DNA sequence: TTGCTCCTCACGTCACGTGAGGTGGC
DNA sequence: TTGCTCCTCACGTCACGTGAGGTGGC
């Protein structure tokens, strides 16, 4: 006869679990001391404990186990129980598998962004910007409406998207409410115009650029730097200016705005 | 603005769940009527609801989701969360898989027993019993000690077991306490004698047999029939008699004793 | 005496579900 | 008025875990 502690070590079930199984009547001690209330278990109960553990591993409920171990379930009924449980397990497996693979996708895309934004130069740069095919939605409104514009274009352009989201600002000044904005994505091939979404080639050329780190509210600081530089160099800036969102709120997680990365590009003559 | 019921239809989350997510602060209504307490949701919250659903599908806890959606987790931290969750999911999958395959094994073995016991003849039969290689443990004791004897032999003979458990009764009379019993299994090859477990060839021969259906306590009825028949036929019975357990308490489930099937075999001259 | 094991009882966990009892708008 | 939707509050679920407060044997 083993005390509950010894039996716990043998059966690899916690003392609490053993007491619970006693309460539930699926693993009753072989002897209980009337005075102390101590539970004692025989060697033969080890086997029963192992069977219960096995069934619990198979996700059977305590009630299910009680019924199955009661000894008065017919074979056919027992088979039904087992097959039902097998189905449940199979469902669980396939669910977990799809969840795992979409999680994998998300992890990959975050890693990709991390890789791409690892070796960024935060200085003002003069560089050549390439031509791109651009699918965009142009509207007049507030700056914070670009989010829904991206969604619109995203739905249409879908799998042809070939780079980071970007916006074109056609105004030469800052406008609170009625800004002339085009928001969209570079795409791998020209798409048919559709519900306000237009495709065109954005000509590249010589540009001055800077990568802004931080929330969008502080973008003005980087604009200031950039235009001061352009003025010093006596360049002439061309409209529209562009913002490329290297790292932003993203599709799923908002992220920390302090870590947002936005490249401002101004074409020059 | 949608009422909670409308939003429930759109988001495919129950009203109760939406109220709970409100309480937990992970999906707060966009407007709450002060008088009625009615919750109202905007279109933009649909997306958030979908993200939460996705994360719940991936088995994230409400607290985990709250943290991840708070917007102030760094990328590295976020990646850690996601990878941790991925590990959890992978563990869950592999656990469920092993559970499912052992369940499959059990189902198969029960089906096998069902098949084998489907077309059984319950009449007294005269038939030829074949020679078998038998690994057994012989002891003097009570009938209900055969269980542990089977276990002993089972552990040694393991994968060489090639048929149903059987016992040999060497006494010519019924003994309550000091019965001379050998319990074991037919095996596919002769094993070395070891800790009281002995291997030998059980010679077959002409026999009278009957299949007993029901608990072991009622076996005496079938014995009576069998020996009455032997007497009538003027056969001479040979010792030991055998019991072959076609269907019994089994390795895992006790089953219903009313359905136990035991073949009694008595060799005759 | 001390330390260890055992006991019971009540409450906590997690993500909701289930009602009871009541209100408000069409 | 009726039927429907919404509300809050309290309690239930499932398989234990956590701790408080206490006992008994070495």
């Amino acid at each position: 006869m083993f005390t509950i502690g010894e039996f716990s070590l043998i059966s690899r079930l916690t003392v609490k679990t053993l007491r619970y199984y006693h309460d539930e009547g699926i693993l009753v001690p072989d002897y209980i001391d009337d005075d102390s209330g101590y539970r004692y278990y025989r060697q033969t109960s080890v086997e029963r404990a192992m069977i219960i553990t096995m069934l619990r591993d198979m996700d059977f409920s305590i009630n299910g186990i009680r019924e199955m171990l009661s000894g008065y379930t017919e074979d056919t009924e027992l088979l039904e129980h087992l097959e039902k449980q097998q189905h449940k397990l199979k469902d669980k497996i396939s669910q977990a598998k799809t969840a795992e693979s979409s999680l994998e996708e998300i992890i990959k895309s975050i890693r990709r962004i991390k890789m791409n934004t690892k070796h960024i130069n935060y200085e003002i740069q003069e560089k050549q910007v390439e031509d791109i095919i651009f699918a965009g939605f142009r509207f007049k409104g507030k700056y914070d409406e670009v989010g829904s514009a991206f969604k619109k274009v995203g739905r249409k352009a879908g799998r042809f998207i070939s780079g980071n989201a970007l916006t074109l600002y056609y105004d030469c000044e800052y406008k609170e409410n009625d800004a002339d904005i085009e928001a969209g994505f570079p795409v791998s091939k020209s798409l048919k115009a559709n519900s306000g979404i237009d495709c065109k080639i954005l000509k590249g050329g010589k540009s001055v650029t800077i990568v802004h780190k931080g929330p969008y509210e502080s973008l003005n600081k980087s604009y200031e730097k950039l235009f001061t530089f352009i003025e010093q160099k006596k360049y002439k800036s061309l409209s529209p200016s562009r913002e490329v969102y290297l790292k932003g709120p993203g599709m799923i997680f908002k992220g920390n705005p302090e870590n947002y990365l936005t490249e401002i590009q101004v074409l020059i003559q």
Side-chain angles (χ1 to χ4, degrees), chain A:
Chain A
M1 301 272 265
F2 306 113
T3 64
I4 198 168
E6 292 160 353
F7 193 72
S8 163
L9 287 170
I10 297 167
S11 63
R12 306 211 141 269
L13 294 166
T14 68
V15 170
K16 293 281 179 179
T17 301
L18 289 171
R19 290 207 264 256
Y20 179 64
Y21 287 175
H22 178 195
D23 282 356
E24 290 295 315
I26 59 171
L27 183 58
V28 178
D30 295 295
Y31 170 72
I32 298 168
D33 188 291
D34 272 350
D35 286 348
S36 65
Y38 277 31
R39 296 164 175 87
Y40 295 94
Y41 297 83
R42 288 219 183 86
Q43 175 67 38
T44 47
S45 292
V46 175
E47 198 189 1
R48 193 175 172 92
M50 280 169 57
I51 291 169
I52 292 173
T53 304
M54 210 188 69
L55 293 174
R56 288 290 303 135
D57 286 343
M58 289 174 188
D59 251 19
F60 280 98
S61 69
I62 299 295
N63 281 334
I65 292 173
R66 193 195 346 263
E67 205 179 327
M68 290 170 66
L69 294 185
S70 74
Y72 285 91
T73 28
E74 297 300 317
D75 266 19
T76 325
E77 212 181 322
L78 183 64
L79 259 181
E80 270 170 32
H81 270 120
L82 295 174
E83 282 167 352
K84 203 174 142 196
Q85 194 64 21
Q86 196 187 18
H87 264 111
K88 273 192 197 167
L89 274 178
K90 280 185 176 170
D91 280 5
K92 201 177 159 184
I93 291 168
S94 70
Q95 265 192 32
K97 271 187 179 174
T98 47
E100 197 270 329
S101 61
S102 37
L103 195 49
E104 177 71 24
E105 278 308 303
I106 293 171
I107 289 172
K108 270 188 193 163
S109 77
I110 292 178
R111 283 214 190 102
R112 206 150 40 217
I113 292 172
K114 258 190 129 179
M115 278 301 291
N116 290 341
T117 57
K118 211 170 181 178
H119 304 293
I120 278 183
N121 183 345
Y122 293 97
E123 303 303 308
I124 289 175
Q125 290 181 72
E126 298 186 46
K127 68 180 186 191
Q128 192 68 23
V129 164
E130 303 297 317
D131 295 357
I132 52 171
I133 312 171
F134 177 72
F137 177 77
R138 188 163 175 176
F139 66 98
K140 289 205 172 201
K142 290 183 182 179
Y143 286 112
D144 56 7
E145 286 169 39
V146 293
S148 58
F150 281 133
K151 248 181 271 175
K152 244 183 218 177
V153 183
R155 271 198 291 272
K156 296 287 169 189
R159 62 198 181 82
F160 299 111
I161 292 172
S162 63
N164 291 310
L166 64 97
T167 44
L168 307 176
Y169 291 97
Y170 289 94
D171 301 304
C172 297
E173 57 187 321
Y174 176 76
K175 283 188 173 177
E176 182 84 44
N177 280 316
D178 222 26
D180 186 358
I181 303 173
E182 187 162 6
F185 298 90
V187 285
S188 55
K189 64 165 214 176
S190 202
L191 307 168
K192 267 185 288 183
N194 183 329
S195 56
I197 291 156
D198 198 19
C199 241
K200 62 187 163 195
I201 290 174
L202 275 193
K203 292 296 270 180
K206 215 183 156 195
S207 310
V208 182
T209 68
I210 189 170
V211 173
H212 174 80
K213 180 169 184 171
Y216 299 135
E217 291 82 46
S218 62
L219 266 172
N220 60 322
K221 287 180 195 162
S222 293
Y223 271 106
E224 200 189 325
K225 274 191 202 165
L226 203 69
F227 283 112
T228 308
F229 178 86
I230 290 171
E231 209 170 308
Q232 276 171 3
K233 290 279 189 171
K234 308 227 153 80
Y235 293 145
K236 199 189 163 222
S237 60
L238 299 174
S239 176
S241 62
R242 306 180 187 175
E243 284 174 11
V244 182
Y245 303 102
L246 303 177
K247 188 172 159 188
M251 300 206 301
I252 299 180
F253 304 108
K254 256 184 69 196
N256 185 347
E258 290 303 326
N259 295 327
Y260 290 175
L261 295 173
T262 313
E263 185 176 46
I264 305 169
Q265 300 178 341
V266 177
L267 285 160
I268 53 168
Q269 240 176 10

